[in-house]
Every structure is written in structure tokens, then in C-alpha cells.
Amino acid sequence: MKLPFDDNSFDAVLNESMLTMLNQSAKEKAVAEYFRVLKKINYPIFRA
């Protein structure tokens, strides 16, 4: 999975209940993509 955005593009990434539907490998790839597109001084937001 690769998000169609440049590195360091966003102040925040919001994930709402999507990760629970993925297997462990896909979860790890998704979270890595969240951090890739986040600006380095910001944080992901996860809700289950």
C-alpha cells in the first residue's frame, strides 16, 4: 500500500477503525505510510 502523497505532506493523519480490518503485515505497512506522509513534527491519530 502506498498513499498517493509526497513525504512530509500532512500535519495529521486520522485513522478511524481501518487497521482492525488488516492482517499484521498490512497494518505495519499502513502505519509506515502514515508516518511517511506526516510532517516530522506531528502525530498520527488512531481510533479503534
Side-chain angles (χ1 to χ4, degrees):
M1 175 178 116
K2 178 139 172 99
L3 297 172
F5 306 106
D6 293 334
D7 295 357
N8 308 310
S9 298
F10 294 94
D11 293 324
V13 172
L14 173 63
N15 176 293
E16 188 162 347
S17 302
M18 193 271 300
L19 290 176
T20 60
M21 298 178 196
L22 302 176
N23 65 39
Q24 186 62 34
S25 176
K27 285 178 189 176
E28 292 171 8
K29 290 176 184 174
V31 170
E33 276 296 285
Y34 300 160
F35 280 100
R36 181 186 68 79
V37 300
L38 271 173
K39 293 178 183 174
K40 299 304 177 198
I41 60 169
N42 294 290
Y43 305 94
I45 301 168
F46 298 98
R47 284 186 52 181

